[in-house]
Amino acid sequence: MKNMLTALWHYRHFILSSIRGELKSRIARSRLGALWFVLHPLAQATIFALVLAEVLGAKLPNVENKAAYPIYLMAGMAAWGLFSEILNRCLNIFVEYGGTLKKISFPRLCLPMIVWGSALLNHVLLLLAITVVFLFFGHYPGIAWLVIPLGILLISLFSFGLGVMLGIFNVFTRDVGQVMGVVMQIWFWLTPIVYPYEIIPQNLRWLADVNLMVPLVRIYQDALLYNHWPDFSTLWLPSVVAMSMFMLSFVLFRKASPELVDAL
């Protein structure tokens, strides 16, 4: 693992320039440029506010603020978006760049690191845009927002580790990518993002209790909506799993690396 980290450090300029390139490609030839980072969540929040909160009357238990549901939804979507972007891109990154890996010699682990860095940058820009949207609703930042970097760290470690491991398996068995497409949809709806945790029937709450994304998404929801600190007693298991996944992904990558290019 030390050798892999050393190789990544030597190629840090390549990784950083690739991340910058990905960001520039998103706003290239766009007249509004980075303004789209604000317009997309603003449009999304407006739809949620008008359709779900006003038309369908969607509300959160014990919260009278009409903007509470759109804020709750956007907080959960932001956390899930970070998780799904890193996992899905790491899942396909080796297959996607198979031709490049065969032609150019560089540490293959650079690819998921570029994905990771790009997703983190996109997420920070999204959070800034969401903050603007929250101000539009008259919802101001609180002290508990300081816990969001912890949520970013745990979610990104978990999704990176799981994504790299599944990405390696996907090189040898493409069914993994197809299966994960279905799994991610089920996983999303099993996580209280669109609906609050409190409305889950008692006999089904064990599904939420074993879902590691529930406490991680609630970091965002508790902080951004309620200005509450998370229940740290619920975070020890996701923390252990996230760190374990991250470490295991390096071990698995080292073992699979000699056969990776031949399998592509």
Side-chain angles (χ1 to χ4, degrees):
M1 182 172 176
K2 182 181 177 182
N3 293 335
M4 285 190 289
L5 293 176
T6 302
L8 289 175
W9 176 252
H10 288 156
Y11 278 80
R12 63 189 183 281
H13 298 299
F14 167 69
I15 295 172
L16 292 174
S17 63
S18 298
I19 293 171
R20 282 197 297 270
E22 286 209 3
L23 177 63
K24 288 181 179 177
S25 67
R26 291 185 59 188
I27 59 177
R29 299 181 181 178
S30 170
R31 293 184 181 276
L32 297 181
L35 191 59
W36 285 113
F37 291 120
V38 179
L39 293 179
H40 279 299
L42 181 60
Q44 190 181 45
T46 304
I47 293 170
F48 291 155
L50 292 177
V51 177
L52 296 175
E54 293 292 341
V55 179
L56 298 180
K59 293 182 179 179
L60 296 175
N62 304 319
V63 181
E64 295 299 328
N65 185 357
K66 286 188 176 181
Y69 182 72
I71 293 172
Y72 173 86
L73 194 54
M74 293 187 71
M77 292 290 288
W80 182 265
L82 176 63
F83 172 69
S84 63
E85 181 179 358
I86 295 176
L87 195 153
N88 285 327
R89 291 202 60 198
C90 285
L91 177 64
N92 296 300
I93 193 69
F94 299 119
V95 175
E96 184 179 342
Y97 284 89
T100 304
L101 290 173
K102 292 177 181 177
K103 296 175 182 175
I104 304 174
S105 177
F106 65 95
R108 298 169 186 120
L109 202 55
C110 286
L111 292 176
M113 294 302 295
I114 293 169
V115 167
W116 193 11
S118 178
L120 288 177
L121 183 59
N122 290 338
H123 188 65
V124 170
L125 293 173
L126 176 65
L127 290 178
L128 293 175
I130 283 178
T131 302
V132 174
V133 175
F134 287 178
L135 294 176
F136 176 77
F137 285 128
H139 186 70
Y140 299 100
I143 188 68
W145 288 35
L146 295 176
V147 79
I148 293 301
L150 175 64
I152 294 174
L153 176 65
L154 294 179
I155 290 174
S156 61
L157 286 176
F158 180 42
S159 55
F160 179 87
L162 183 60
V164 169
M165 287 194 288
L166 292 175
I168 294 168
F169 293 139
N170 194 39
V171 170
F172 299 97
T173 307
R174 303 297 165 83
D175 295 327
V176 174
Q178 301 297 330
V179 170
M180 281 307 297
V182 178
V183 170
M184 289 298 286
Q185 292 185 48
I186 298 172
W187 200 345
F188 173 81
W189 287 105
L190 288 177
T191 306
I193 295 172
V194 178
Y195 55 87
Y197 175 87
E198 290 74 16
I199 71 168
I200 301 175
Q202 288 289 343
N203 62 333
L204 295 178
R205 287 197 175 181
W206 64 271
L207 287 172
D209 294 338
V210 299
N211 182 354
L212 293 177
M213 281 305 294
V214 173
L216 298 180
V217 168
R218 292 197 73 162
I219 294 176
Y220 280 66
Q221 293 166 336
D222 288 342
L224 297 182
L225 174 60
Y226 301 106
N227 194 27
H228 289 171
W229 297 98
D231 181 358
F232 288 101
S233 66
T234 64
L235 296 180
W236 70 268
L237 181 59
S239 301
V240 171
V241 173
M243 286 300 301
S244 301
M245 287 285 188
F246 183 72
M247 301 293 287
L248 281 173
S249 68
F250 280 82
V251 175
L252 182 62
F253 184 86
R254 186 182 61 183
K255 290 188 176 180
S257 186
E259 302 175 11
L260 204 60
V261 175
D262 294 335
L264 286 168

